[in-house]
């Protein structure tokens, strides 16, 4: 997960719930943490490495790696993304949320809608995996897009993003 905070939230002095933002949100910063996105806090056993998780490619240990190796196992913190958004951002912040979280959106999107936290998100870039993991014929991706737009998300883009070219992707060093 990555975050930038400060700016309008610091100037406004209050989060979306009317309370003062936490001390970390009162200053501008950017921090990457090896954590898994969820709609609740906890732990998730992952395969790969924390560095691999930061750049993409780690997966829950209940999945097999394409080449059949289980990989190195480690525990990653689960972060309640919905709570994090509510306590870190205000309505006047410009929030871009990117989710390619291998199925965790099936839990996060309904929670964003149920708590009205989706109103904090200006731009959503996401890959909806429900069409692959949901019951046959029960894809909720289009319905969620409509509900998110109705709830205030101004722009929604699906992976692959129409404005990105493959040549724009950074090359990552092995970790």
């Amino acid at each position: 997960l990555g975050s930038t905070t400060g700016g309008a939230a610091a100037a406004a002095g209050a989060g979306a719930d009317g309370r003062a933002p936490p001390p970390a949100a009162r200053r501008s910063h950017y921090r990457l943490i090896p954590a898994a996105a969820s709609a609740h806090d906890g732990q998730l056993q992952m395969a790969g490495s924390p560095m691999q998780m930061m750049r993409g490619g780690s997966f829950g240990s209940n999945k097999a790696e394409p080449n059949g190796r289980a990989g190195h196992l480690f525990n990653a913190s689960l972060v309640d993304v919905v709570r994090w958004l509510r306590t870190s951002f205000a309505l006047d912040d410009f929030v871009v949320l990117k989710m390619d979280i291998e199925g965790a959106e099936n839990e996060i999107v309904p929670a964003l809608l149920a708590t009205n936290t989706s109103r904090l998100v200006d731009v959503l870039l996401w890959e909806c995996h429900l069409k692959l993991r949901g019951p046959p014929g029960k894809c909720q991706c289009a319905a969620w897009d409509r509900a998110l737009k109705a709830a205030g998300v101004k722009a929604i883009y699906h992976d692959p993003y129409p404005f990105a070219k493959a040549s724009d992707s950074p090359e990552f060093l092995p970790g």
Side-chain angles (χ1 to χ4, degrees):
L1 293 175
S3 69
T4 59
T5 59
D17 59 3
R19 297 180 302 160
R26 293 187 193 122
R27 61 186 183 276
S28 293
H29 67 279
Y30 186 78
R31 180 180 306 156
L32 295 174
I33 55 172
S38 182
H40 62 278
D41 292 320
Q43 294 283 310
L44 176 66
Q45 189 172 60
M46 302 286 292
S49 72
M51 182 55 77
Q52 184 179 358
M53 185 178 180
M54 299 284 287
R55 67 175 185 259
S58 285
F59 47 85
S61 64
N62 62 338
K63 299 178 186 173
E65 218 177 287
N67 64 9
R69 291 180 292 146
H72 172 77
L73 298 179
F74 66 99
N75 285 326
S77 295
L78 285 172
V79 174
D80 183 339
V81 173
V82 177
R83 181 183 46 78
W84 172 73
L85 285 166
R86 274 195 326 266
T87 59
S88 300
F89 299 98
L91 283 173
D92 57 348
D93 286 325
F94 186 81
V95 178
V96 176
L97 178 61
K98 182 181 185 297
M99 292 193 302
D100 182 357
I101 48 180
E102 306 311 315
E105 69 277 3
N106 298 326
E107 171 181 49
I108 293 172
V109 172
L112 284 170
L113 292 165
T115 61
N116 202 25
T117 302
S118 53
R119 68 192 174 115
L120 295 172
V121 178
D122 295 283
V123 178
L124 175 63
L125 301 106
W126 73 313
E127 184 174 11
C128 183
H129 293 87
L130 189 59
K131 56 188 157 205
L132 299 176
R133 298 202 174 126
K138 301 286 185 188
C139 179
Q140 289 292 310
C141 301
W144 282 343
D145 277 353
R146 289 189 299 275
L148 288 163
K149 282 243 181 190
V153 177
K154 293 166 192 65
I156 298 175
Y157 299 96
H158 289 269
D159 186 21
Y161 307 114
F163 48 79
K165 301 179 298 216
S167 61
D168 293 337
S169 297
E171 294 296 322
F172 290 104
L173 300 173

